[in-house]
């Protein structure tokens, strides 16, 4: 067999292993190790393994990941979702569908200091679901809005998935965070628009709540100062280049810890809880990273990524149709896989293809644009059946809403995602505006 | 990336309970290392901003800390079954079949860690013999290898335990 055939065969074996419940990281490691052995020989493999695991884990580039995870865990303990939802609710609650919009707004605010979708959906769900029920919101709208709102945790930077993408394509994390900001805000606005349309069609799905008094409004808005402080300090500092993402995440961890402590959400048990959640999340991410590194080392040897890239370059397919094919494939994979594994599995093949096609963009801009598109479409997988994780998290909190209702409730948000992806594909400027603006400074 | 399902994934048999305790301790240790890294960066940033005196070479300590923490996190994650799987295609198959493939997955993980445990110390010895140090702080690079190896030994024990746990689950036809 030629290297290419071995590479292709390895890929198929990997997919089979994944289908039969072998943990993603273990499957990648197994195929990667065997493939490496077959192509490069035992001596090369054994010498590669001496350092691979150690150096993969002991790198400064990746240190930002566990620190952002830790920061998100502390933020979840600080009761900030409560304050965010309340502040959004006093401004929007008296409109039709306003309380659901407030839930989305709260998710957006939380997403600006947290890098995880599930944590965002879960913490905001606890706060907003009881309110939505109290005002007789339809179960489908309430749970759908929160499941979709949760994806803002990843879409609005900081974002763990985006960091991984940046490392894979050797892009600058800071410019990627900048690039993701406007599309993230658009996502929140798009979800609110989806709610507005749903309640226009069916006014009973989201009745208006009471209007808050001016003092209440003022008080609630004042109460979100910790979120603003953390956001300005951490993300502001990163965007404007005062410190590196790792430093930002470190400062943010200390900051969110202190806020949680001052608000009484950081008893010793809470602290240990936060550490344990950080431990499992970090371990599973890094194990998949190691698996992907070994698997991609094997794929690199097999020359498969290079060959596919050349094939697409010479085939004369219009670049846009190739990109659309990838988007469709991402959405299909999203039905069965989590976002991180999807990115690690596909980007090593997809990025070289995108890089050789002519989209009329500079290489650095292309990285940003493709990264944001990828980020959005892989996150759609979190709300689509049958394994939309956000949907499961929210549905398990709303005991009286059947799963099918939640999936129905997600449809308008799915459409909103589709429109946004099309918009961002057609207008790269939406993504590139902020990085350019901040680069001039 | 779910919350830990610690409560219902806590082993009930003696060996499992001991492994759980030890892995949990390791994970907490890793968590404290992470917190120390956060404090270190904060001090460094504050020092740089306020007194123009950053902590030199802090990023080297951060890199080393990340490695130590991740190694310490691995056993716990495996023991509480948090490693990500694609669950969709086999969700309807009988329990015994699903558990059979879990056993294969756990077994493959055992083989991989044996391989790593064989190679990793050799990498550490190479660094020791070459006297390799970090650039600025000149921390000997081999220092954290013994710790990493210790974590891998615990991970191997946990992995072997999970293989046996899967086997017993198949025999008993229920989750342990």
């Amino acid at each position: 067999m030629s290297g290419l055939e071995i590479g292709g065969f390895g890929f198929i074996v990997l997919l089979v292993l994944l289908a039969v419940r072998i943990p993603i990281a273990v499957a990648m490691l197994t195929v990667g190790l065997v493939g490496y052995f077959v192509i490069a020989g035992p001596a090369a493999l054994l010498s590669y393994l001496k350092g691979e695991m150690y150096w993969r884990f002991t790198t400064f580039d990746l240190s930002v990941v566990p620190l952002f995870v830790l920061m998100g865990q502390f933020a979840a303990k600080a009761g900030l979702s409560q304050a965010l939802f309340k502040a959004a609710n006093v401004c929007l609650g008296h409109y039709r569908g306003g309380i659901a919009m407030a839930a989305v707004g709260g998710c957006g605010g939380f997403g600006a200091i947290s890098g995880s979708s599930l944590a965002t959906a879960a913490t905001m769900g606890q706060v907003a679901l009881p309110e939505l029920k109290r005002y007789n919101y339809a179960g489908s709208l309430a749970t759908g809005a929160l499941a979709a709102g949760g994806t803002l945790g990843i879409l609005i930077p900081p974002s763990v998935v985006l960091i991984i993408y940046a490392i894979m394509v050797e892009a600058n994390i800071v410019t990627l965070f900048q690039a993701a900001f406007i599309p993230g805000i658009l996502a929140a606005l798009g979800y609110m628009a989806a709610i507005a349309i749903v309640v226009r069609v069916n006014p009973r799905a989201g009745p208006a709540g009471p209007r808050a008094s001016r003092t209440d409004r003022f008080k609630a808005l004042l109460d979100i100062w910790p979120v603003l402080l953390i956001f300005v300090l951490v993300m502001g500092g990163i965007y404007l280049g005062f410190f590196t993402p790792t430093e930002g995440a470190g400062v943010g961890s200390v900051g969110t810890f202190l806020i949680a402590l001052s608000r009484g959400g950081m008893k010793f048990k809470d602290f240990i809880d936060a550490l344990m959640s950080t431990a499992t999340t970090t371990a599973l991410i890094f194990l998949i990273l190691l698996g992907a590194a070994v698997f991609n080392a094997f794929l690199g040897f097999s020359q498969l990524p290079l060959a596919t890239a050349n094939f697409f370059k010479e085939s004369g397919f219009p670049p846009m149709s190739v990109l659309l094919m990838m988007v469709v494939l991402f959405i299909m994979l999203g039905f069965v896989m989590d976002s991180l594994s999807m990115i690690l599995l596909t980007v090593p093949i997809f990025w070289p293809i995108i890089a050789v096609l002519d989209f009329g963009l500079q290489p650095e801009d292309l990285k940003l644009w493709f990264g944001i598109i990828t980020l959005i479409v892989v996150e759609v997988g979190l709300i689509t059946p049958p394994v939309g994780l956000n949907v499961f998290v929210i549905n398990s909190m709303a005991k009286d809403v059947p799963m099918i209702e939640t999936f129905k409730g997600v449809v308008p948000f799915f459409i909103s995602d589709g429109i946004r992806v099309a918009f961002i594909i057609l207008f790269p400027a939406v993504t590139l505006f902020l990085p350019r603006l901040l680069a001039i400074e | 990336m779910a919350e830990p399902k610690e409560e219902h994934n806590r082993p009930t048999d003696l060996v499992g309970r001991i492994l759980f305790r030890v892995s949990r301790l390791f994970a907490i240790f890793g968590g404290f290392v992470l917190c120390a890294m956060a404090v270190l960066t904060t001090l460094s940033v504050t020092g740089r901003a306020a007194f123009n005196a950053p902590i030199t070479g802090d990023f080297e300590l951060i890199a080393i800390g990340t490695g130590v923490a991740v190694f310490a996190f691995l056993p716990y994650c495996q023991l509480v079954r948090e490693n990500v799987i694609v669950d969709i295609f086999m969700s309807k198959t009988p329990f015994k079949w699903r558990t059979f493939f879990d056993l294969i997955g756990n077994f493959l993980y055992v083989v991989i860690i044996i391989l790593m445990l064989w190679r990793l110390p050799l990498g550490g010895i190479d660094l020791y013999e070459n006297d390799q140090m970090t650039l600025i702080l000149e921390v000997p690079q081999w220092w954290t290898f013994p710790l990493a190896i210790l974590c891998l030994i615990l991970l191997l024990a946990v992995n072997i335990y999970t293989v046996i746990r899967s086997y017993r689950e198949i025999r008993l036809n229920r989750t342990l």
Side-chain angles (χ1 to χ4, degrees):
Chain A
M1 278 203 279
S2 71
L4 275 184
E5 285 163 355
I6 298 173
F9 184 67
F11 214 90
I12 293 167
V13 174
L14 177 70
L15 294 180
V16 172
L17 287 180
L18 292 183
V20 296
R21 283 170 63 94
I22 306 299
I24 292 171
V26 174
M28 283 178 166
L29 275 165
T30 307
V31 178
L33 289 172
V34 174
Y36 201 116
F37 177 84
V38 172
I39 294 185
L45 175 69
L46 290 181
S47 124
Y48 167 73
L49 284 180
K50 273 191 195 173
E52 180 59 20
M53 191 175 196
Y54 182 80
W55 292 113
R56 193 56 57 184
F57 293 166
T58 310
T59 66
F60 182 71
D61 282 351
L62 287 175
S63 62
V64 63
V65 174
L67 285 173
F68 267 128
V69 173
L70 186 69
M71 174 177 159
Q73 287 298 334
F74 285 159
K77 298 279 179 203
L80 298 176
S81 34
Q82 182 91 42
L84 279 166
F85 174 67
K86 231 176 147 187
N89 201 15
V90 291
C91 297
L92 298 167
H94 58 282
Y95 295 110
R96 245 190 321 193
I99 304 174
M101 292 182 195
V104 167
C107 284
F110 197 76
I113 55 167
S114 163
S116 151
S117 279
L118 285 185
T120 305
T123 51
M124 199 53 69
Q126 274 165 2
V127 178
L129 277 175
E131 283 298 293
L132 289 162
K133 202 176 166 195
R134 202 148 70 90
Y135 288 99
N136 286 322
Y137 271 59
S140 58
L141 179 62
T143 52
L146 278 161
T151 63
L152 295 174
I154 288 264
L155 295 175
I156 298 181
S159 159
V160 170
V161 174
L162 211 50
I163 295 169
I164 305 293
Y165 170 85
I167 291 167
M168 295 183 78
V169 304
E170 291 172 359
N172 185 328
I173 295 177
V174 178
T175 43
L176 256 172
F177 275 5
Q178 293 167 347
F181 190 72
I182 292 176
I185 302 294
L186 285 180
L189 294 177
Y191 290 159
M192 289 188 191
I195 296 168
I197 292 168
V198 169
V199 293
R200 184 152 206 127
V201 175
N202 178 11
R204 291 178 58 194
R211 185 181 282 273
S213 74
R214 197 163 287 180
T215 35
D216 279 353
R217 226 176 253 201
F218 191 64
K219 257 191 216 154
L221 285 174
L222 270 188
D223 215 30
I224 58 170
W225 68 266
V227 183
L228 290 177
L229 180 73
I230 294 287
F231 175 74
V232 169
L233 195 68
V234 175
M235 295 316 292
I238 294 175
Y239 282 148
L240 298 176
F242 287 129
F243 38 61
T244 64
T246 302
E247 286 170 341
V251 172
S253 299
V254 173
T256 44
F257 172 81
L258 292 177
I259 289 165
L261 196 66
S262 72
R263 297 181 147 224
M266 197 46 82
K267 310 267 187 312
F268 187 68
K269 187 182 170 299
D270 297 310
F271 177 62
I272 297 294
D273 271 359
L275 291 192
M276 298 320 281
S277 306
T278 307
T280 43
T281 308
T282 306
L284 71 86
I285 292 176
F286 275 74
L287 197 62
I288 295 177
L289 281 171
L290 177 69
V294 174
F295 183 71
N296 288 326
F298 151 60
L299 274 192
F301 274 123
S302 79
Q303 310 252 326
L304 188 68
L306 197 70
T308 29
N310 280 334
F311 169 77
F312 277 99
K313 190 180 183 182
E314 277 150 27
S315 67
F317 287 130
M320 273 299 173
S321 67
V322 177
L323 181 67
L324 283 182
M325 262 159 43
M326 286 180 188
V327 167
V328 172
L329 199 67
F330 270 133
I331 291 174
M332 278 163 50
L333 274 177
F335 289 130
V336 298
M337 262 182 142
D338 72 287
S339 44
L340 181 66
S341 315
M342 245 159 83
I343 289 216
L344 286 168
L345 199 62
T346 54
V347 168
I349 306 270
F350 285 3
W351 170 244
I353 298 175
I354 292 290
V356 295
L357 295 176
D358 181 17
F359 288 93
L361 290 172
Q362 298 293 322
E364 285 308 308
D365 289 349
L366 191 61
K367 274 179 193 169
L368 299 178
W369 182 61
F370 183 63
I372 303 306
I373 295 168
T374 307
L375 180 72
I376 299 171
V377 287
V378 298
E379 281 313 305
V380 170
L382 280 170
I383 57 168
T384 49
V387 288
L389 280 177
N390 275 9
V391 173
F392 284 100
V393 169
I394 292 299
N395 191 268
S396 69
M397 290 180 174
K399 295 271 181 310
D400 51 330
V401 181
M403 186 67 87
I404 186 83
E405 282 299 307
T406 306
F407 275 124
K408 273 188 201 159
V410 155
V411 173
F413 302 99
F414 183 74
I415 296 170
S416 165
D417 278 334
I419 295 170
R420 192 171 77 258
V421 172
F423 187 69
I424 284 168
I425 290 179
L426 289 175
F427 304 103
V430 177
T431 307
L432 302 176
F433 174 72
L434 200 58
R436 289 222 176 112
L437 184 76
L438 292 171
I440 296 166
E441 301 262 320
Chain B
M1 286 175 226
E3 300 291 306
K5 296 170 209 129
E6 201 176 274
E7 289 315 315
H8 46 103
N9 277 337
R10 215 181 181 124
T12 47
D13 55 299
L14 181 66
V15 179
R17 285 209 312 268
I18 294 170
L19 283 174
F20 181 83
R21 282 225 155 148
V22 181
S23 320
R24 195 162 184 275
L25 269 181
F26 269 62
I28 290 174
F29 164 75
F32 275 101
V33 171
L34 219 51
C35 292
M37 285 158 52
V39 172
L40 180 74
T41 42
T42 309
L43 290 180
S44 178
V45 170
T46 331
R48 190 173 65 200
F51 316 108
N52 201 16
I55 299 170
T56 37
D58 59 341
F59 58 90
E60 293 179 356
L61 294 176
I62 301 287
I64 292 171
T66 309
V68 170
V70 171
F71 273 107
F73 289 157
L74 289 175
Y76 179 78
C77 184
Q78 164 72 358
L79 192 63
V80 296
R81 311 175 199 239
E82 280 287 328
N83 282 317
V84 190
I85 56 170
V86 177
D87 205 8
I88 173 73
F89 299 107
M90 301 203 53
S91 55
K92 292 278 191 301
T93 44
F95 176 80
K96 277 201 174 179
W97 275 103
R98 267 183 294 148
T99 316
F100 171 70
F101 285 110
D102 286 351
L103 189 148
I104 293 183
N106 291 332
F107 176 74
L108 288 173
Y109 199 6
V110 168
V111 176
I112 290 163
I113 293 306
I114 290 177
L115 198 60
M116 296 293 181
L117 255 179
W118 170 32
R119 302 315 295 175
L120 189 77
L122 296 176
I125 291 169
D126 278 1
L127 291 179
Y128 175 75
E129 283 175 346
N130 298 335
D131 236 355
Q132 206 149 323
M133 291 189 268
T134 61
L135 283 174
I136 295 173
L137 296 176
E138 304 197 332
V139 184
Q141 210 97 58
W142 65 269
W143 275 11
T144 49
F145 268 79
L147 206 61
I149 291 165
L150 194 66
C151 293
L152 281 192
I153 291 173
L154 178 62
L155 179 57
L156 182 62
V158 167
N159 285 351
I160 292 172
Y161 170 77
T162 55
V163 170
I164 297 170
R165 179 169 69 183
S166 300
Y167 174 71
R168 284 174 56 215
E169 284 177 339
I170 296 173
R171 294 279 309 263
L172 297 169
N173 203 15
R174 68 180 168 87
T175 313
L176 281 171

